[in-house]
Amino acid sequence: MQKPDGTRHNAVEAVLCDMDNTLFDFVRAKREACRCVVDYLGTGDPEALFSQFLRGIHGFEDHENIRDYMSDLGMYEPGAFEVCCRTYEDVKLGLVEAYPGVEETLRCLRDAGISLAVVTDAEASQARRRLDKTGLIDYFETVVTPEVSGRRKPEPDSLLYALRRLDAAPARAMMVGDSLIRDIAPGRHLGMVTAFAAYGDWRDGSPADVEADIVLAEFAELTGHVGIPRR
């Protein structure tokens, strides 16, 4: 992985941001939501429930993962399942808060005339709720989800859709995200400047063959890399 070198990318006219674990700590909120579900059930392991969402059998936010977990415990019952799903959603959303410096940085970018978009694999309704909750939604000209673009990352469809909406050429745009595979690789493939949100990478290990132009220790470092003095 390439290390930050202080290079400024003054030609950047548009910034595409991943959402979860780039703008806010979503995994922490999700893990706590799983803990609260397990507390309601009175048995089980929060990390085992969290792992259900990582299997790839259902979507990362699909409630069928909770159903499967309850069934494995021999505790599935429609009423209890409904309570678990409601608990999961309420706790998760309640804990979503922007990382320090995110709102201020987005404001600086917007005020400098840089166009902003969110590119996420979350469902549109989930994305809007989280961006509303954090107060960030008004900073973005467009929010691109798989329902809009037709395909999930690392396919480039969502990035290309966002670039078209912003009327931005890839060479004058930046992709910011916490996943080297799902954010950085497609951005590099399109010829964008790439910024790896290392502070949000919760995965074990990093692919050695994917490099980012910039490695961010915090979101606020973005301003320096597009030539805007930090306040």
Side-chain angles (χ1 to χ4, degrees):
M1 183 191 307
Q2 184 171 327
K3 300 301 182 185
D5 59 5
T7 303
R8 290 186 176 183
H9 299 274
N10 295 311
V12 170
E13 298 176 350
V15 173
L16 278 54
C17 296
D18 174 55
M19 185 179 69
D20 296 334
N21 307 303
T22 297
L23 301 177
F24 42 77
D25 191 343
F26 181 64
V27 164
R28 181 186 71 88
K30 188 177 181 75
R31 279 195 158 109
E32 180 61 17
C34 289
R35 187 192 67 77
C36 289
V37 169
V38 168
D39 282 352
Y40 169 76
L41 293 174
T43 187
D45 176 14
E47 279 300 305
L49 175 53
F50 178 76
S51 296
Q52 292 282 321
F53 290 93
L54 306 180
R55 298 173 300 161
I57 297 175
H58 309 297
F60 187 58
E61 287 301 286
D62 198 313
H63 291 168
E64 288 300 306
N65 294 294
I66 299 175
R67 184 194 297 270
D68 288 352
Y69 182 73
M70 294 177 68
S71 295
D72 289 346
L73 291 176
M75 298 188 68
Y76 176 76
E77 186 276 321
F81 174 63
E82 182 178 344
V83 173
C84 286
C85 293
R86 186 166 61 249
T87 298
Y88 169 78
E89 291 295 338
D90 289 349
V91 172
K92 181 182 64 175
L93 184 62
L95 290 174
V96 168
E97 295 181 355
Y99 285 121
V102 166
E103 184 169 6
E104 295 85 347
T105 301
L106 292 174
R107 185 182 301 115
C108 286
L109 295 173
R110 182 191 63 187
D111 291 350
I114 295 174
S115 301
L116 300 171
V118 163
V119 179
T120 178
D121 278 347
E123 295 178 1
S125 59
Q126 294 272 6
R128 182 160 293 275
R129 280 198 291 269
R130 297 205 273 272
L131 291 170
D132 278 336
K133 168 62 168 56
T134 54
L136 301 178
I137 195 163
D138 290 339
Y139 290 100
F140 298 100
E141 296 180 32
T142 187
V143 176
V144 182
T145 65
E147 296 104 308
V148 172
S149 70
R151 302 185 77 176
R152 296 181 179 276
K153 298 179 291 183
E155 298 299 330
D157 301 61
S158 289
L159 279 68
L160 288 168
Y161 188 97
L163 290 170
R164 289 195 297 269
R165 288 293 303 270
L166 299 181
D167 193 24
R172 300 182 73 84
M174 178 184 289
M175 179 66 208
V176 185
D178 69 294
S179 172
L180 289 169
I181 293 175
R182 305 183 69 80
D183 300 313
I184 302 307
R188 287 185 65 85
H189 177 73
L190 294 176
M192 302 172 67
V193 177
T194 55
F196 176 52
Y199 57 85
D201 183 15
W202 54 276
R203 303 161 186 84
D204 293 329
S206 297
D209 59 341
V210 180
E211 293 185 348
D213 299 299
I214 301 161
V215 178
L216 301 173
E218 58 178 345
F219 191 83
E221 291 177 356
L222 268 183
T223 54
H225 288 289
V226 296
I228 303 172
R230 291 181 64 174
R231 297 176 180 177

